[in-house]
Amino acid sequence: MVHIARLLDEGGLPTDDEFLFGWDPTPGIVSIWADRSGKALLWRREGQRVTCSTEHFRPWIVATTLDDLAHLPSPVLPAPSDRGAQATITYRELDGPDGSYRYLLSARDGHLLERVLVAGASRRLGREVNRVSNLPETYYGVGPVEQYLMLTGKVCFKGLAYDDLHRLAFDLETTALDPQRGRIFLAAIHDSTGFETLLEAATPEQEAQLIADLCALIREHDPDVIENYNLCGFDFPFLQYRAAALKVPLRLGRAGGPPLLDSYEEAGSAGPYRFRQRRFSIAGREVIDTLEAVRRYDFAARVLPSYRLKEVAKHFGLAAPDRVYLEGSKVYETYREHPDLVRHYALDDVREVDGLSRRLMGAAFALAGMAPRGYGRVASAGPAMGILEPLLVRAYLRAGTALPQPITPDASWRHEGGATYLLAEGVAEHVVKADVASLYPSLMRTYQIGPKCDALGMLLHLLDRLTELRLFHKAAARQAPPGSMEANQHEGTQAAMKTINAAYGYMGAGTMALFADPQAADTVTRRGRELLDGLLAALRQRGVVPIEADTDGVYFAVPATWTQQEERTLVAQIGARLPTGTRLEYEGRYRAMLSHAIKNYALLTYDGELIVRGGALRSSRSEPFGERFLRQALLAVMQDDIAGVQRCFLDTVQMLRQRMLPASEVASRVRLSKTPQDYLASRTTHSEGQYEALLAAGRTQWTVGERVRTYRTQSGAWRWLPEEREEAPLSFEEQDDNEVLVNGNVLGLAETTPIDERRDYDVEQYARVLLTSYASRLAVAFTAEDFQQLFRVDGQMSLFDRPLEAMQLRWIRCPATTSLTPLSLLDEEKGHEQPNKSADAGSSPS
DNA sequence: AACGGACGGGG
DNA sequence: GTGTACGTCCGTT
């Protein structure tokens, strides 16, 4: 076995690494198309010009055995060499043990190769085998484009910047969402050169012409990339259906290749998930759906409340000031009366798509310059099986090394994940959050934990290189002028390198991943737990108080007197003692924290913002008055205002009793699922509050899906609360924030009460709800006796009540004596590589 | 309550 | 714990 270190010419620039960037220098490839016959079409861009060339390759597959070729008559028996490219089937032996995929089989034609292997396998196994892909333990193969790129070491976009690509977005406006019931009446086009136009079909008779014109326009402008928002979920399927119905061929392909839009159903299973997705491909053009890019972005960022194009564009600051907004269902009727409005609207759509592409596609663009896959595939590929594995396979074939033998799953193996600890319950002030950056890939690099079957050490090599590149581009992005093309490029490349985070999951993937190694994955999490334990021990040793820890991060309380600088210094000092290659980051500081249960806590920022994490601090009932109470009470608790908590509770109870709260505050909102007929049929056996409420109000008609508010009245009946006309209830978030900013004193329900005369709700019922569904969430902050005294629904005093001043919250306190050790004293401990294993941190694992 | 399934997005 | 992800909301026991 030759280790990677000896294969590599050390010391070169990272971009010299052929395992990461391929080895063929061909510049300007913008699109690749290949088929099983061994034909590959390359479209290369040189400035404004694009040329197409036809290449031939020998379709290949790797196999663990030659047995399925044994039945061949001698003239077609393979020879162990690459010479004679005309030979029907040949093989090459790769370096590797028995059982590994050590035979690289190739043929002039991929269909022939498949037929021969299927016949041989059927004979060998004594049963009908339909496809080699049904024999994963014997054969490993990839798609034609991947075969070509892995063989040649070519990659997309060499020498190109993102802005060199010619991208075109088109957006269809239709009379309905369903192509069986509606038609296309308008198409807006925008491309990256600034070209824009509209195609219109005012009458149904003009629709076929619109489709033909759209195709002609795309062929004429000849973009490398076709984009839109939900392109593969809406525009392409709609276009395809209408074109078929009207018998218009969708000639969208580039000169030199097959002309028609192609689509196929991709069915697969990813662990517990099963998915069917329609894929679209056009020879010579890459298909990009920016909705998918948005989903990926938000997977990590978690900032988008909605994935509607309009909301997303606003979030990224892409919406024009004069942007036209129309409700989807109103688009066509608006067009008939005010066509200009819809034209404007449709152009705004495609412009925003262009902006999204610029903002979000940088990472996929960078990855397409590395992985042996087309840009469109890279954009919709997962980082593990979609990027890392193709990189590994290409590297192994390049090195002439066999792909590892598929592992047999060990059913008895139990994988242990990261550690999670609830270390303290109650209320803390002055809380710091720190976490280890890229914990798992860092551990893999630090302790050289790679898959045992990775004889070349390639995964760790790729991890090293990707990490170096990430740091380089991160720094470069910071130095470049903000918003510049250069900054965008570096930011995209930096983001692409986050692929490293998939390496751990890939190893743990069991049988699906070629280079899986569950034991290695387990070693990573074990090291992770040790590191977390060591981190907790180090924090305790320094006198601060850990509150909750999860896999790679920890919340802890520091002395009240500390400044942010001191907090940062502590994190830096503790980080310095972590194993080399792991970095502890200061993530943030909070004025207070209520630690309720594992992964369930509330935080109060220094800006007065309340953050609530975990389902246990939320009620599924979510009556407005209860939600509001809980938020206010959490704020009061975290500001050590016991009197405020009690006042908040008693005031709410009193407002219920005196019916100062309108019914809308106690009502819960439900969605109707039964038609009036359905409900009337089941009513006698099974009565349901929401429908009874409607019927009692004289409503005998409703639609399924309608949301109604209902509440329980004194008599036990349910009552419907009709929506008020545009009397939008105040946003509770805003309201709470304002209150906090104004003064620490929370409460002010009365003045927000909308004009609503209904107050006939069941007071006792809602008082009970307040206690059992909401106040109970605060129990962790009080002793049992204090809690009972504070939250009494009857509001009665008792002779044995303690004065509030005598009460103490259940504090999580950091001793005031804790002080920072000067850095000089810690220096002696430098070189202390291993995390402290004597940690007692696991004393209360959950 | 606890669990299972659909949905999101597009006109 | 993998190519489609993962809360949230619904409906059912």
Side-chain angles (χ1 to χ4, degrees):
Chain A
M1 261 343 92
V2 189
H3 197 267
I4 188 69
R6 264 174 282 159
L7 289 167
L8 274 178
D9 187 9
E10 290 293 331
L13 283 172
T15 49
D16 293 341
D17 190 335
E18 62 175 32
F19 294 118
L20 203 48
F21 295 95
W23 52 88
D24 184 293
T26 306
I29 299 175
V30 287
S31 192
I32 308 132
W33 182 94
D35 65 18
R36 303 215 170 269
S37 76
K39 184 165 98 167
L41 301 172
L42 293 192
W43 283 269
R44 292 179 46 208
R45 175 169 286 283
E46 290 168 84
Q48 301 301 307
R49 249 182 83 235
V50 175
T51 55
C52 176
S53 62
T54 305
E55 318 261 324
H56 294 279
F57 67 100
R58 285 180 68 79
W60 59 266
I61 195 163
V62 286
T64 55
T65 173
L66 293 175
D67 288 352
D68 294 337
L69 296 175
H71 68 292
L72 293 180
S74 54
V76 282
L77 264 179
S81 80
D82 272 347
R83 84 187 123 82
Q86 296 309 304
T88 311
I89 294 179
T90 58
Y91 73 87
R92 184 180 148 200
E93 212 170 326
L94 301 170
D95 182 13
D98 274 354
S100 61
Y101 296 99
R102 52 198 283 245
Y103 301 102
L104 176 61
L105 314 180
S106 65
R108 278 173 56 194
D109 185 285
H111 295 109
L112 172 74
L113 180 60
E114 166 115 15
R115 271 202 307 279
V116 167
L117 295 177
V118 161
S122 299
R123 179 178 307 230
R124 169 168 62 93
L125 299 169
R127 65 181 166 91
E128 177 115 4
V129 174
N130 296 316
R131 310 212 49 182
V132 284
S133 57
N134 295 334
L135 297 172
E137 66 286 352
T138 312
Y139 297 103
Y140 180 90
V142 297
V145 171
E146 285 79 5
Q147 288 179 34
Y148 174 74
L149 292 176
M150 285 179 185
L151 280 180
T152 59
K154 289 182 165 76
V155 288
C156 293
F157 305 149
K158 267 217 156 98
L160 294 183
Y162 191 63
D163 284 359
D164 295 329
L165 280 184
H166 183 186
R167 299 175 291 108
L168 180 145
F170 78 88
D171 185 47
L172 304 180
E173 302 303 328
T174 65
T175 59
L177 277 173
D178 179 354
Q180 298 187 52
R181 304 196 311 127
R183 63 177 184 90
I184 304 165
F185 68 89
L186 185 145
I189 293 103
H190 171 101
D191 86 0
S192 53
T193 68
F195 167 77
E196 277 185 353
T197 195
L198 292 162
L199 300 172
E200 297 184 44
T203 65
E205 294 71 38
Q206 296 170 323
E207 188 187 10
Q209 191 61 48
L210 185 154
I211 294 172
D213 289 348
L214 177 63
C215 292
L217 188 146
I218 288 172
R219 290 198 305 273
E220 185 198 334
H221 285 266
D222 200 32
D224 307 320
V225 180
I226 294 192
E227 309 177 312
N228 194 25
Y229 201 74
N230 203 14
L231 177 60
C232 299
F234 179 73
D235 298 83
F236 266 155
F238 201 104
L239 181 66
Q240 199 174 41
Y241 185 95
R242 298 305 300 165
L246 299 165
K247 302 195 182 4
V248 183
L250 284 178
R251 298 204 295 125
L252 292 166
R254 231 168 185 170
L260 296 179
L261 173 73
D262 189 25
S263 79
Y264 51 98
E265 198 75 23
E266 199 178 63
S269 64
Y273 302 105
R274 296 169 52 148
F275 62 93
R276 296 172 75 74
Q277 209 200 345
R278 199 148 191 76
R279 288 203 170 266
F280 293 86
S281 76
I282 301 172
R285 311 192 203 281
E286 301 293 314
V287 171
I288 297 294
D289 188 337
T290 47
L291 167 59
E292 199 178 345
V294 164
R295 289 188 174 131
R296 268 156 207 275
Y297 164 82
D298 198 49
F299 175 61
R302 306 228 158 261
V303 290
L304 297 173
S306 148
Y307 292 162
R308 271 181 259 273
L309 174 62
K310 282 74 178 167
E311 313 289 319
V312 173
K314 277 186 210 161
H315 174 261
F316 287 112
L318 300 167
D322 61 342
R323 199 336 169 183
V324 173
Y325 293 101
L326 294 174
E327 209 180 297
S329 55
K330 300 276 163 53
V331 169
Y332 184 53
E333 61 182 79
T334 308
Y335 177 71
R336 285 190 298 190
E337 303 202 357
H338 309 287
D340 273 341
L341 215 52
V342 175
R343 291 175 188 132
H344 195 316
Y345 167 84
L347 286 174
D348 280 337
D349 274 5
V350 280
R351 286 172 197 151
E352 288 180 350
V353 167
D354 180 49
L356 275 184
S357 173
R358 279 174 206 279
R359 176 72 174 73
L360 295 179
M361 296 310 298
F365 180 84
L367 284 174
M370 301 179 214
R373 310 194 77 179
Y375 174 49
R377 293 302 298 230
V378 166
S380 57
M385 300 296 280
I387 305 291
L388 285 175
E389 185 158 293
L391 285 171
L392 291 167
V393 170
R394 179 179 66 188
Y396 269 68
L397 296 183
R398 173 67 166 168
T401 306
L403 299 177
Q405 177 170 22
I407 58 167
T408 43
D410 177 359
S412 66
W413 184 260
R414 240 192 85 250
H415 178 68
E416 240 183 295
T420 309
Y421 304 120
L422 177 66
L423 302 157
E425 289 172 294
V427 185
E429 290 177 313
H430 309 284
V431 173
V432 174
K433 170 83 192 293
D435 58 18
V436 184
S438 300
L439 176 64
Y440 286 169
S442 301
L443 291 172
M444 289 174 66
R445 276 158 42 82
T446 296
Y447 297 106
Q448 292 289 294
I449 310 164
K452 203 172 162 204
C453 58
D454 181 5
L456 298 177
M458 188 58 68
L459 186 63
L460 288 173
H461 169 75
L462 293 175
L463 234 48
D464 281 344
R465 284 303 168 100
L466 288 165
T467 305
E468 282 168 28
L469 280 166
R470 172 136 196 246
L471 296 176
F472 172 78
H473 287 283
K474 226 175 161 172
R478 269 200 297 270
Q479 296 207 328
S484 65
M485 189 181 105
E486 205 187 333
N488 203 34
Q489 196 96 347
H490 287 302
E491 182 49 42
T493 314
Q494 181 276 123
M497 306 310 163
K498 290 182 181 169
T499 302
I500 57 175
N501 293 324
Y504 153 76
Y506 176 74
M507 290 200 305
T511 51
M512 295 293 288
L514 197 45
F515 290 86
D517 184 344
Q519 268 107 335
D522 212 50
T523 306
V524 174
T525 50
R526 180 173 56 77
R527 290 287 193 184
R529 293 191 299 271
E530 287 170 4
L531 187 141
L532 189 67
D533 288 350
L535 180 57
L536 292 172
L539 287 166
R540 288 202 182 94
Q541 191 200 335
R542 300 297 303 276
V544 298
V545 180
I547 301 169
E548 122 140 26
D550 184 4
T551 309
D552 58 356
V554 56
Y555 287 96
F556 57 94
V558 301
T561 54
W562 279 20
T563 61
Q564 184 179 22
Q565 194 46 54
E566 287 170 294
E567 295 167 3
R568 287 185 179 276
T569 303
L570 177 79
V571 169
Q573 290 174 352
I574 291 197
R577 297 178 52 185
L578 291 184
T580 322
T582 55
R583 202 175 69 253
L584 187 66
E585 286 183 340
Y586 179 93
E587 202 189 81
R589 64 198 304 249
Y590 302 92
R591 184 185 294 172
M593 176 173 186
L594 178 128
S595 169
H596 172 74
I598 200 140
K599 292 186 191 178
N600 281 276
Y601 50 86
L603 297 163
L604 179 64
T605 70
Y606 283 91
D607 293 335
E609 192 196 345
L610 174 69
I611 299 167
V612 181
R613 298 251 164 84
L617 283 173
R618 250 166 240 151
S619 168
S620 58
R621 314 175 53 103
S622 69
E623 293 89 350
F625 83 105
E627 292 282 315
R628 186 194 308 235
F629 158 77
L630 187 56
R631 288 181 65 87
Q632 292 171 336
L634 283 169
L635 282 167
V637 165
M638 285 195 282
Q639 290 170 95
D640 192 16
D641 181 9
I642 297 179
V645 179
Q646 189 185 37
R647 194 165 59 243
C648 186
F649 179 77
L650 294 178
D651 284 358
T652 307
V653 171
Q654 192 186 19
M655 281 189 286
L656 283 169
R657 291 204 190 290
Q658 300 185 351
R659 304 192 181 279
M660 290 160 73
L661 290 174
S664 59
E665 283 288 319
V666 301
S668 36
R669 202 178 276 273
V670 289
R671 173 165 274 153
L672 303 177
S673 60
K674 292 180 177 167
T675 64
Q677 291 84 341
D678 286 345
Y679 182 64
L680 290 176
S682 66
R683 185 182 185 189
T684 45
T685 54
H686 186 64
S687 127
E688 293 173 68
Q690 60 268 39
Y691 303 103
E692 290 303 322
L694 288 174
L695 292 170
R699 273 196 66 181
T700 52
Q701 288 305 312
W702 60 80
T703 53
V704 171
E706 185 180 344
R707 283 176 151 272
V708 294
R709 293 181 298 168
T710 58
Y711 63 97
R712 208 178 139 89
T713 65
Q714 289 158 288
S715 60
W718 289 87
R719 193 150 184 211
W720 175 49
L721 198 63
E723 299 298 318
E724 294 167 70
R725 295 210 141 262
E726 291 316 307
E727 182 83 270
L730 291 171
S731 154
F732 296 130
E733 276 89 349
E734 283 170 30
Q735 196 186 331
D736 284 343
D737 287 348
N738 289 341
E739 282 165 354
V740 175
L741 288 176
V742 172
N743 49 33
N745 204 346
V746 286
L747 222 79
L749 287 183
E751 63 194 21
T752 70
T753 306
I755 314 139
D756 182 344
E757 296 309 315
R758 302 257 183 99
R759 276 131 213 254
D760 55 342
Y761 44 81
D762 181 345
V763 167
E764 295 313 316
Q765 147 104 355
Y766 289 108
R768 272 195 306 276
V769 165
L770 182 67
L771 181 63
T772 57
S773 293
Y774 297 96
S776 60
R777 264 83 176 164
L778 303 165
V780 75
F782 302 95
T783 65
E785 300 75 41
D786 286 352
F787 183 84
Q788 277 190 344
Q789 179 184 327
L790 286 169
F791 301 102
R792 275 197 296 245
V793 176
D794 59 14
Q796 295 299 304
M797 298 288 198
S798 153
L799 274 177
F800 306 105
D801 276 2
R802 306 203 304 151
L804 292 189
E805 303 78 57
M807 288 188 187
Q808 281 281 316
L809 290 176
R810 282 178 60 197
W811 287 110
I812 302 165
R813 278 266 158 81
C814 185
T817 53
T818 300
S819 65
L820 280 176
T821 312
L823 275 172
S824 55
L825 291 181
L826 287 163
D827 282 347
E828 297 163 21
E829 298 190 59
K830 271 235 170 109
H832 184 83
E833 291 269 298
Q834 298 290 322
N836 188 347
K837 294 207 182 90
S838 64
D840 59 337
S843 54
S844 58
S846 308

